[in-house]
Amino acid sequence: MESKRWRLDRFISHKLGINRKHVRLMLAQGKVTVNGDIARDVAQIIDEFSHILCDGEVLQQHSPVYLMMHKPVGVVSATCDYKHKTVIDLLNREDKDGLHLVGRLDLNTSGLLLLTNDGRWSTALMSPENKVAKQYLVTLAKPITQEYVSAFAEGFYFEYENITTKPAKLEIVSDYQARVTIVEGRYHQIKRMFGRFRNPVVALHRESIGALSLDAQLTPSESRELTQAELELLSKP
């Protein structure tokens, strides 16, 4: 989802229903502030989170929202669905309809999910070029062997899409559990990779995105806003 950006004069002209000549005069008279500073440049670029005050009238005062959720199994990663409860339905916030998902988790996958109203932030976080790692705890139906480790590191060829997955890290936790770290999100990727060994995934839980881990205090369906320190963790390469 893309972030909205405008020229300051066009925004004020549209918001107040006045021509841009009048807007230029207001700017010259110092009647417009952007984020607390007097604005003079008609071509200044603003976005949906810029605080705009015009001759004492607040034209815009939206704030960015960044949430982490402990997504439970059985809830869809969508803003609207006619069959299942969605992650948006789990939120008790007045601004929830303005939020979107940063990536998705399958219906039967649980764990860390991010939501925001900041399109530039979510686009950067999910961009394949940035290679943000996602770590999952995977429970399998059959025992795991060392053979899996090298196979995941080499990548798997998916004939349907005609692509080879990027190298993934697999750490064996126990006979039936492994931690898998991937930097992409192909359709049912982890389940399909284990499918090459004819080993069905029994449970899939996302533990972290980049350096950000799911808050252990959050129970399934709960969410909270990210702290500034957590936002900084996600900004690290």
Side-chain angles (χ1 to χ4, degrees):
M1 181 173 292
E2 294 184 359
S3 178
K4 299 174 182 177
R5 307 185 79 189
W6 311 270
R7 272 178 50 135
L8 178 60
D9 59 342
R10 290 175 180 170
F11 172 82
I12 296 175
S13 175
H14 175 76
K15 198 77 174 179
L16 297 181
I18 60 178
N19 62 48
R20 276 189 272 171
K21 182 178 180 180
H22 190 183
V23 174
R24 287 195 294 272
L25 179 59
M26 296 176 74
L27 289 167
Q29 294 172 337
K31 293 183 177 181
V32 178
T33 64
V34 176
N35 299 327
D37 297 322
I38 295 176
R40 303 284 188 184
D41 184 2
V42 296
Q44 180 176 344
I45 300 299
I46 61 169
D47 61 27
E48 69 264 47
F49 304 123
S50 301
H51 186 281
I52 313 297
L53 191 67
C54 186
D55 203 14
E57 179 184 356
V58 176
L59 300 188
Q60 179 176 271
Q61 55 179 352
H62 302 149
S63 298
V65 175
Y66 308 98
L67 302 178
M68 75 156 60
M69 173 183 286
H70 186 163
K71 177 196 171 298
V73 170
V75 175
V76 295
S77 295
T79 55
C80 180
D81 190 274
Y82 296 107
K83 288 183 61 179
H84 301 95
K85 180 177 287 188
T86 73
V87 294
I88 297 297
D89 294 329
L90 299 177
L91 296 173
N92 184 24
R93 300 175 58 99
E94 292 184 358
D95 60 357
K96 67 180 184 179
D97 291 335
L99 302 178
H100 63 270
L101 286 65
V102 185
R104 297 176 182 273
L105 291 176
D106 297 336
L107 178 68
N108 295 315
T109 301
S110 62
L112 177 59
L113 185 68
L114 301 176
L115 301 100
T116 187
N117 58 358
D118 186 343
R120 279 182 290 172
W121 183 75
S122 59
T123 298
L125 196 57
M126 290 296 103
S127 172
E129 289 76 20
N130 290 334
K131 299 180 180 178
V132 177
K134 278 84 69 176
Q135 180 177 280
Y136 297 80
L137 180 65
V138 191
T139 305
L140 287 307
K142 301 176 184 178
I144 310 162
T145 66
Q146 284 295 327
E147 181 185 359
Y148 289 54
V149 177
S150 57
F152 273 65
E154 292 175 5
F156 293 87
Y157 176 69
F158 290 161
E159 184 176 1
Y160 182 76
E161 297 98 328
N162 190 30
I163 59 97
T164 298
T165 62
K166 297 184 184 301
K169 178 183 177 183
L170 185 145
E171 174 192 354
I172 298 176
V173 176
S174 66
D175 288 347
Y176 293 90
Q177 279 195 326
R179 280 195 169 85
V180 175
T181 303
I182 59 176
V183 294
E184 55 189 342
R186 304 290 182 180
Y187 178 70
H188 290 316
Q189 180 176 343
I190 291 178
K191 293 178 180 179
R192 293 168 72 190
M193 290 192 294
F194 281 105
R196 292 294 175 86
F197 293 91
R198 301 187 184 280
N199 195 347
V201 172
V202 175
L204 187 59
H205 179 81
R206 184 155 70 192
E207 297 180 313
S208 64
I209 298 174
L212 176 69
S213 297
L214 177 64
D215 186 342
Q217 300 302 313
L218 285 181
T219 60
S221 299
E222 286 188 335
S223 60
R224 66 162 174 80
E225 295 199 17
L226 295 178
T227 65
Q228 184 58 42
E230 289 170 333
L231 287 170
E232 291 172 2
L233 279 178
L234 284 169
S235 68
K236 292 181 179 179

